[in-house]
Amino acid sequence: MEKEKAMELKQILKTRLNRPMRYYIDTCTRCGLCYDTCHAFQGIPKKEYSPVGRAEVVRKLYKKYTRPGGFIFPYGTDATKFSDTVMDQLYEAAWSCTGCRRCAVNCPFGIDTGQMMGVAKHLLIANGTAPEELVMLADAAVEKGKSIDQFKEGYRNVIRDLEKEVQRKLSLPASDGLIPMEKKDATILYVGLAGAHSIVNPAIIFNAAKENWTLSFFEAVNFGFFAGDPAKANFIAQRIIKEATALNVKEVVVVECGTAFRILRALMGKLPFKVTSIVELIHRYLKEGRIKLKEGAVSDAVTYHDPCQLGRNGGVYDEPREVIRKIVTDYREMSPTREQNWCCGGGGGLVALDNEEFRIKTGKPKKEQIVATGAKIVVTACENCVSQLKTIQSGYGLDVEVKYLTELVCENIIV
Amino acid sequence: MWSKIFYFAMVPMVYAAFAVLIGGLLFKLGVVFFSKKFPGSLATYPKRLPRPVGVAAEAFAVPAAWKKDKVFWVFIIAYHAAFVLLFIGHLELIREFKVLQIIPHDVFLGAGSVGIILIISVLYFLFRRFKSPWREISVPEDFLILILLFLTMLIGSHLHLSARYYAGGGAFDIPVGAYREYLSNLVAFKPVVPSGIADSPHYVLVVLHVFLANLVLMMFPFTKMVHMAFAFLSLNLRRK
């Protein structure tokens, strides 16, 4: 590795040395309690896929460049310099981690390996060895944010077609205004994804609840965050924040995308509006009697997969279960569940990469959980999870159907 | 020459060790508090207890270890509880604290069991690292610290047990009064190594014990032992 490149990487390493990172570097005792808490390790049992194995790659760099001990006596802590080998190790560590934070829950010190992998991803971008797919998707999202006016008309045309689908489902005489856009002072700004399902199903629910809402021009997904580029991640999130502020909405409702929800709810600091997941909103509508569901309409065995960013990292556990229990007669809980639920293996941007074989292997604990429930339908509330669960389903030949929670709700909504 | 080396370990190095320990900890905490805060929340859910209670429960009861490895948990709790008693015992070697005599006892509390618990626990932590997968995730620092703690505690325990149970008919006894004279004078910055210690056949072991303890104290802020302070801060982040 060239000296200039190593200097550049060293600089990034130092700029990422914030307060949590200082705790995570110095506190780990390598007790090993996290060792097998990662789904990737369960699927492919090697040290490099254990949380401590991953974190140590970053930690050893910090020891080398920011700790006197690492400079004076590097052998003591295995402090390591930047090299091509280390960058390969960083790649393997960062791009096998979904940022599910199951390890953080099981660490006696609460060390968040996901945060440390954020540093690893940032270093890989600077080194030019980050996954190209994600970097390009992040760039496209940034470009859209910079020149949104060019996209607006084309997007409106797409939405007009989707409004007709909503009209059909709700048996309404006209489709105009069923998916409002740029509506100032709306109560809710809904942020969807590129897929039609992420707009049509929520639009059905909003209209059924007679909500005063408007659709965002942007997708909720944050490829900058997935890629590990903090500047792009912030820009992509700020697009939505600026839009919500300009429209003066009271609440931003995020599509079934765990990471997008967590970024806006937990990682952007204090915002002038409330951030809610569509799952929480559906639950609220049910409680308030604003929508009605066909109770007990589904007799097949159903289980729910907690998306990590919604459950473990967002605290949304009970709402989806209560909604599902209204519709289904045979609900089965996975084991382990809630904060100890296994990650599906598709988060953190992994599902967007060409790594299907790896994801099938690392999806093994999830496969075993699903099989153990005996469920015929797996419901979840995250785009990445749905994609990954479908990969697991086809990879292991499981006789199950994977559904979005909004899909299940729309199939059973009384209009 | 040996008397000079012994004196160095017993007096100037002790001051240096405490200066490094206190200065190092203050420096580390200062750097942390002046470093960039995380703008959002790193919480995990559910948060079953209020933040301070939850942090204390996780730090002192270590439920993460209880769920995963009960034998390891027993040794973690035994080691840390014994370490607190060890600290109290050393305070009582400086002077008598009436409040600590609520339960009347000779110095140290535990009649020698504290040192033995510490030694067994440290040996468990050490041998655990010889086994896979802990062997693969260990770095030299992990072994070095445990060996250093083992030697310090072994010698300290030997000194205590031989004095308490009159090993060798009392020939190896260094009375508590001699330690109190030595340590209270150190605290008062009027250092002296009393004859009760310097003339004992055990003097070399006392020097070794103090020397190794000095090394442990100096390493404290700059190694993973700093988890004693950072664990609370790190656990607090997960509940913020």
Side-chain angles (χ1 to χ4, degrees):
Chain A
M1 177 179 282
E2 287 170 11
K3 204 177 168 186
E4 290 75 25
K5 181 56 77 183
M7 290 296 286
E8 185 193 341
L9 296 176
K10 190 174 145 184
Q11 208 48 45
I12 289 171
L13 202 66
K14 286 188 175 173
T15 58
R16 295 294 299 255
L17 191 54
N18 59 9
R19 197 178 287 187
M21 207 55 67
R22 287 184 185 276
Y23 301 151
Y24 301 157
I25 293 161
D26 290 336
T27 311
C28 180
T29 57
R30 287 169 290 279
C31 68
L33 285 171
C34 67
Y35 200 75
D36 58 357
T37 60
C38 176
H39 63 279
F41 179 87
Q42 290 289 325
I44 309 171
K46 56 182 227 174
K47 184 186 91 174
E48 289 73 11
Y49 297 147
S50 70
V52 60
R54 285 194 190 101
E56 276 298 294
V57 186
V58 175
R59 195 173 282 121
K60 286 170 184 180
L61 286 167
Y62 272 115
K63 296 268 179 185
K64 178 69 195 172
Y65 294 111
T66 66
R67 296 290 179 272
F71 182 73
I72 300 162
F73 184 55
Y75 316 107
T77 51
D78 265 0
T80 327
K81 276 186 195 170
F82 280 110
S83 68
D84 291 336
T85 311
V86 167
M87 294 315 291
D88 289 346
Q89 288 171 352
L90 281 176
Y91 189 97
E92 192 175 20
W95 293 107
S96 62
C97 173
T98 57
C100 77
R101 303 173 81 225
R102 192 174 188 271
C103 52
V105 167
N106 288 291
C107 171
F109 306 117
I111 293 171
D112 185 349
T113 308
Q115 282 290 310
M116 300 187 81
M117 291 305 100
V119 177
K121 287 179 176 182
H122 195 174
L123 292 167
L124 289 164
I125 288 178
N127 193 45
T129 48
E132 272 178 38
E133 308 94 302
L134 285 176
V135 175
M136 280 166 62
L137 286 165
D139 287 342
V142 169
E143 196 45 51
K144 186 177 174 183
K146 283 180 182 164
S147 46
I148 185 63
D149 289 335
Q150 292 173 27
F151 292 92
K152 280 187 176 174
E153 203 39 52
Y155 195 53
R156 277 198 193 97
N157 289 334
V158 173
I159 295 303
R160 274 181 211 118
D161 289 339
L162 298 183
E163 281 181 324
K164 285 172 192 150
E165 277 190 51
V166 178
Q167 180 202 2
R168 271 196 299 277
K169 176 72 188 177
L170 294 172
S171 309
L172 292 171
S175 66
D176 289 347
L178 291 180
I179 304 181
M181 298 185 80
E182 291 188 284
K183 189 175 174 187
K184 202 138 173 54
D185 300 323
T187 310
I188 283 172
L189 172 71
Y190 171 70
V191 199
L193 292 168
H197 65 274
S198 76
I199 296 170
V200 172
N201 287 335
I204 291 167
I205 296 165
F206 287 133
N207 280 288
K210 300 192 173 15
E211 185 58 85
N212 175 21
W213 71 292
T214 185
L215 176 69
S216 171
F217 274 106
F218 301 107
E219 301 94 40
V221 62
N222 193 321
F223 286 110
F225 185 83
F226 285 149
D229 188 322
K232 285 178 192 164
N234 186 52
F235 183 90
I236 292 167
Q238 287 297 342
R239 301 177 316 173
I240 299 164
I241 295 169
K242 281 179 189 159
E243 188 186 25
T245 312
L247 291 174
N248 194 33
V249 298
K250 290 188 180 66
E251 189 170 358
V252 168
V253 174
V254 183
V255 64
E256 290 164 290
C257 173
T259 304
F261 168 68
R262 182 169 173 240
I263 290 171
L264 285 176
R265 172 106 131 208
L267 303 183
M268 298 307 294
K270 207 168 172 341
L271 298 173
F273 47 80
K274 189 178 167 190
V275 176
T276 309
S277 156
I278 183 79
V279 179
E280 293 171 291
L281 188 71
I282 294 169
H283 180 257
R284 198 163 81 203
Y285 286 162
L286 263 181
K287 287 268 166 206
E288 291 170 357
R290 291 175 70 178
I291 58 168
K292 287 200 165 39
L293 300 174
K294 295 172 196 161
E295 289 189 25
V298 176
S299 56
D300 281 337
V302 176
T303 188
Y304 176 70
H305 163 70
D306 275 304
C308 303
Q309 308 303 343
L310 211 58
R312 185 160 39 240
N313 303 319
V316 184
Y317 289 120
D318 295 326
E319 294 86 345
R321 286 172 171 79
E322 285 181 27
V323 173
I324 294 168
R325 281 179 196 276
K326 270 261 185 241
I327 302 167
V328 311
T329 52
D330 185 4
Y331 176 74
R332 298 180 187 186
E333 197 63 64
M334 287 193 200
S335 177
T337 186
R338 299 166 82 96
E339 73 266 32
Q340 291 295 343
N341 180 43
W342 286 107
C343 172
C344 63
L350 262 70
V351 88
L353 306 181
D354 180 20
N355 57 1
E356 200 173 288
E357 198 187 330
F358 174 82
R359 284 190 286 112
I360 290 170
K361 280 185 185 167
T362 57
K364 193 177 141 226
K366 181 49 63 187
K367 182 265 291 184
E368 285 167 0
Q369 274 187 298
I370 294 169
V371 170
T373 63
K376 290 286 165 207
I377 301 170
V378 182
V379 177
T380 191
C382 172
E383 184 87 3
N384 277 351
C385 296
V386 167
S387 301
Q388 169 67 359
L389 289 170
K390 285 182 176 171
T391 303
I392 291 172
Q393 175 212 30
S394 59
Y396 289 101
L398 302 184
D399 181 24
V400 293
E401 193 184 349
V402 181
K403 278 190 178 181
Y404 290 96
L405 184 77
T406 49
E407 192 182 348
L408 184 75
V409 167
C410 285
E411 284 169 358
N412 296 286
I413 197 164
I414 300 170
V415 289
Chain B
M1 192 186 82
W2 279 109
S3 64
K4 280 184 184 164
I5 292 171
F6 282 14
Y7 184 80
F8 173 77
M10 292 289 284
V11 178
M13 194 182 173
V14 176
Y15 287 126
F18 274 95
V20 172
L21 172 75
I22 295 163
L25 274 176
L26 289 175
F27 172 74
K28 292 286 272 193
L29 289 170
V31 168
V32 158
F33 289 121
F34 284 107
S35 64
K36 208 164 49 182
K37 275 188 187 175
F38 187 75
S41 162
L42 291 169
T44 57
Y45 298 85
K47 298 176 186 172
R48 290 193 179 95
L49 295 166
R51 184 148 40 122
V53 181
V55 169
E58 287 194 278
F60 293 119
V62 207
W66 173 255
K67 280 180 209 148
K68 202 75 198 304
D69 184 342
K70 296 212 169 22
V71 176
F72 186 38
W73 180 85
V74 167
F75 280 106
I76 290 173
I77 297 296
Y79 175 84
H80 288 89
F83 205 93
V84 173
L85 293 175
L86 184 82
F87 178 74
I88 292 170
H90 280 83
L91 281 183
E92 288 186 290
L93 279 184
I94 299 172
R95 70 176 180 84
E96 190 182 86
F97 290 89
K98 286 214 169 73
V99 67
L100 296 175
Q101 283 295 341
I102 294 170
I103 308 163
H105 64 275
D106 292 333
V107 179
F108 280 48
L109 267 165
S113 62
V114 168
I116 291 168
I117 290 169
L118 285 167
I119 290 165
I120 294 172
S121 303
V122 166
L123 282 177
Y124 171 79
F125 297 144
L126 185 64
F127 289 133
R128 187 173 173 268
R129 291 201 178 271
F130 292 175
K131 195 172 171 276
S132 184
W134 299 283
R135 187 173 55 203
E136 285 87 33
I137 57 171
S138 299
V139 300
E141 176 197 354
D142 301 328
F143 296 101
L144 200 65
I145 290 170
L146 288 171
I147 291 168
L148 205 55
L149 286 171
F150 170 70
L151 291 174
T152 312
M153 287 162 179
L154 186 74
I155 297 168
S157 188
H158 168 71
L159 287 168
H160 173 56
L161 291 174
S162 61
R164 190 175 195 112
Y165 298 107
Y166 299 100
F172 292 107
D173 181 20
I174 297 174
V176 169
Y179 288 120
R180 281 199 174 144
E181 192 183 348
Y182 164 62
L183 288 173
S184 59
N185 279 314
L186 268 183
V187 171
F189 292 101
K190 293 171 190 161
V192 64
V193 181
S195 60
I197 294 176
D199 296 343
S200 164
H202 260 152
Y203 184 34
V204 67
L205 288 180
V206 176
V207 172
L208 256 178
H209 176 71
V210 173
F211 172 74
L212 293 168
N214 287 339
L215 290 182
V216 171
L217 292 176
M218 287 195 273
M219 286 169 76
F220 210 98
F222 307 106
T223 62
K224 65 177 188 175
M225 286 190 281
V226 80
H227 75 257
M228 184 189 85
F230 279 13
F232 299 94
L233 304 171
S234 175
L235 286 168
N236 183 47
L237 270 186
R238 201 171 65 183
R239 294 181 161 267
K240 221 169 172 181

